[in-house]
Amino acid sequence: GAGVSQSPSNKVTEKGKDVELRCDPISGHTALYWYRQSLGQGLEFLIYFQGNSAPDKSGLPSDRFSAERTGGSVSTLTIQRTQQEDSAVYLCASSLSGGESGETQYFGPGTRLLVL
Amino acid sequence: GQNIDQPTEMTATEGAIVQINCTYQTSGFNGLFWYQQHAGEAPTFLSYNVLDGLEEKGRFSSFLSRSKGYSYLLLKELQMKDSASYLCAVRGDRGSTLGRLYFGRGTQLTVWP
């Protein structure tokens, strides 16, 4: 079946503008994760959705960042009033249930965000 | 906090064996993953260890020692296509951090002919 898809693949925006990044997880996967990969840095956890539970937002770097997941499937990560330090690759991953220790997270191709 | 260390870069020649080390200090441990990431692409799953010992999968093997907070990824019979970044990631403990992965910065491996 199809893997995790993300859109857009690239986004260039001006400082101060809002952006929305979209993630379509693998069908049937109830767990969804957002990570950020900055140049020369490791992947940084942002937020985690598990079924109908309240999301784990503890990784969001500021209140300019928010995410939602509609209908237990598609997720949107929104960055308001973008700053240059927000420039990074934003990766989405999904897994079957999020509850098993060995469960693999499958990553999408990412959205490359550049804030000018 | 969480600290995961791995070398920044490694080089090797085609046909050789290379070992990429990863050490971790985390507040909880519920498994260690290795991912491969080619430039501009998504990370892809390579291996998973939760118990001590060696897991072998074809040309790739991964080892874990929980008491030492140490893992390595062993790549045999290197091929040019193995040139990529290799990411070590530790899964959080059950509870509030369940699900999230803590990643190292990745080891960029270059395979020369």
Side-chain angles (χ1 to χ4, degrees):
Chain A
V4 178
S5 60
Q6 292 185 245
S7 62
S9 53
N10 293 281
K11 177 71 177 180
V12 180
T13 190
E14 293 178 348
K15 178 181 172 181
K17 302 276 188 179
D18 297 352
V19 295
E20 282 190 355
L21 312 179
R22 176 187 168 107
C23 172
D24 281 87
I26 294 172
S27 178
H29 280 193
T30 62
L32 186 147
Y33 316 79
W34 283 97
Y35 294 87
R36 177 168 72 173
Q37 188 172 33
S38 302
L39 194 63
Q41 302 295 316
L43 273 76
E44 173 191 4
F45 168 81
L46 296 177
I47 189 169
Y48 162 46
F49 294 90
Q50 168 51 44
N52 295 322
S53 303
D56 175 1
K57 303 180 181 181
S58 58
L60 295 178
S62 78
D63 59 8
R64 297 186 295 105
F65 288 71
S66 63
E68 61 178 21
R69 188 177 185 193
T70 53
S73 181
V74 171
S75 177
T76 302
L77 177 69
T78 301
I79 309 173
Q80 295 178 310
R81 305 180 303 281
T82 52
Q83 302 294 312
Q84 289 179 331
E85 61 262 27
D86 300 334
S87 297
V89 178
Y90 289 82
L91 289 160
C92 175
S94 72
S95 67
L96 195 58
S97 70
E100 298 299 324
S101 64
E103 197 170 270
T104 300
Q105 294 183 19
Y106 296 90
F107 284 84
T111 293
R112 284 153 192 78
L113 175 66
L114 177 61
V115 181
L116 300 176
Chain B
Q2 323 295 335
N3 192 35
I4 300 171
D5 286 319
Q6 49 182 131
T8 304
E9 295 179 324
M10 296 185 72
T11 60
T13 53
E14 215 172 1
I17 299 173
V18 71
Q19 178 174 311
I20 303 175
N21 296 323
C22 172
T23 57
Y24 63 90
Q25 293 172 310
T26 56
S27 56
F29 178 83
N30 200 19
L32 186 144
F33 294 78
W34 284 95
Y35 281 82
Q36 179 191 60
Q37 186 178 27
H38 285 100
E41 297 183 9
T44 55
F45 170 77
L46 287 179
S47 69
Y48 165 73
N49 296 71
V50 68
L51 300 176
D52 291 351
L54 188 68
E55 294 284 339
E56 297 189 74
K57 265 190 187 181
R59 295 190 300 115
F60 291 57
S61 303
S62 57
F63 171 83
L64 175 67
S65 168
R66 289 172 296 170
S67 63
K68 296 181 180 177
Y70 167 69
S71 172
Y72 68 72
L73 180 69
L74 192 71
L75 293 78
K76 304 176 186 175
E77 301 167 17
L78 282 173
Q79 303 175 8
M80 298 291 289
K81 67 179 182 179
D82 297 330
S83 292
S85 183
Y86 291 85
L87 312 178
C88 174
V90 172
R91 186 185 174 108
D93 207 355
R94 293 191 180 274
S96 62
T97 61
L98 177 66
R100 70 168 70 178
L101 293 177
Y102 298 96
F103 282 85
R105 295 188 177 189
T107 298
Q108 182 63 46
L109 173 67
T110 302
V111 180
W112 299 102

